[in-house]
């Protein structure tokens, strides 16, 4: 889940398995006989919620990567592409020099 807020919801006999959430909150929700397995749902994500007969197994903890909404994967790849493009003229010039003056001289 990414930036999901559940409000006034009822979760009955549900299983949440292998879920990673980022800015996901449950506000004023009720959980009945619900199992949480291998999730990162911690207590602070349940705001004014009621958990009745719920079990938590293998809770994930630790640092999770969070980017701002305007810093998407597109920009990561675009900046990487620009960096690769910046090296291209140097590669072309070194290849031409290597053919012109020789490989051994270039290594020296």
């Amino acid at each position: 889940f990414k930036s999901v807020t559940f409000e006034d919801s009822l979760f009955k006999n549900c299983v949440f398995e292998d879920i990673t959430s980022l800015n996901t909150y449950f506000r004023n929700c009720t959980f009945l006989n619900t199992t949480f397995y291998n999730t990162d749902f911690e207590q602070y994500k349940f705001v004014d919620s009621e958990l009745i007969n719920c079990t938590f197994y293998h809770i994930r903890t630790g640092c999770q990567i969070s980017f701002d909404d305007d810093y998407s994967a597109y920009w990561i790849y675009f900046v990487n592409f620009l960096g690769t493009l910046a090296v291209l003229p140097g590669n072309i010039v070194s290849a031409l020099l290597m053919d012109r003056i020789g490989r051994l001289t270039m290594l020296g």
Side-chain angles (χ1 to χ4, degrees):
F1 296 132
K2 179 182 177 186
S3 299
V4 179
T5 302
F6 295 96
E7 293 184 3
D8 301 321
S9 301
L10 171 66
F11 297 92
K12 185 175 181 181
N13 298 325
C14 295
V15 176
F16 292 91
E17 184 175 354
D18 295 327
I19 295 176
T20 302
S21 63
L22 182 64
N23 294 330
T24 299
Y25 296 98
F26 299 92
R27 298 186 198 288
N28 199 19
C29 294
T30 304
F31 295 88
L32 295 172
N33 301 325
T34 302
T35 302
F36 298 92
Y37 179 78
N38 199 21
T39 63
D40 65 347
F41 294 143
E42 295 183 25
Q43 192 63 35
Y44 71 92
K45 294 190 178 195
F46 300 100
V47 180
D48 296 329
S49 294
E50 187 176 2
L51 293 118
I52 302 169
N53 199 18
C54 296
T55 53
F56 290 84
Y57 299 109
H58 303 287
I59 302 299
R60 291 183 191 170
T61 57
C63 179
Q64 295 179 6
I65 298 175
S66 63
F67 295 108
D68 296 331
D69 292 332
D70 61 341
Y71 194 70
S72 63
Y74 168 78
W75 287 110
I76 295 171
Y77 290 113
F78 183 72
V79 169
N80 189 14
F81 174 73
L82 288 180
T84 305
L85 212 63
V87 176
L88 188 60
N91 288 342
I92 291 172
V93 169
S94 66
L96 291 175
L97 276 175
M98 196 176 295
D99 286 341
R100 178 86 62 196
I101 64 174
R103 297 180 190 275
L104 291 176
T105 308
M106 191 78 164
L107 281 174

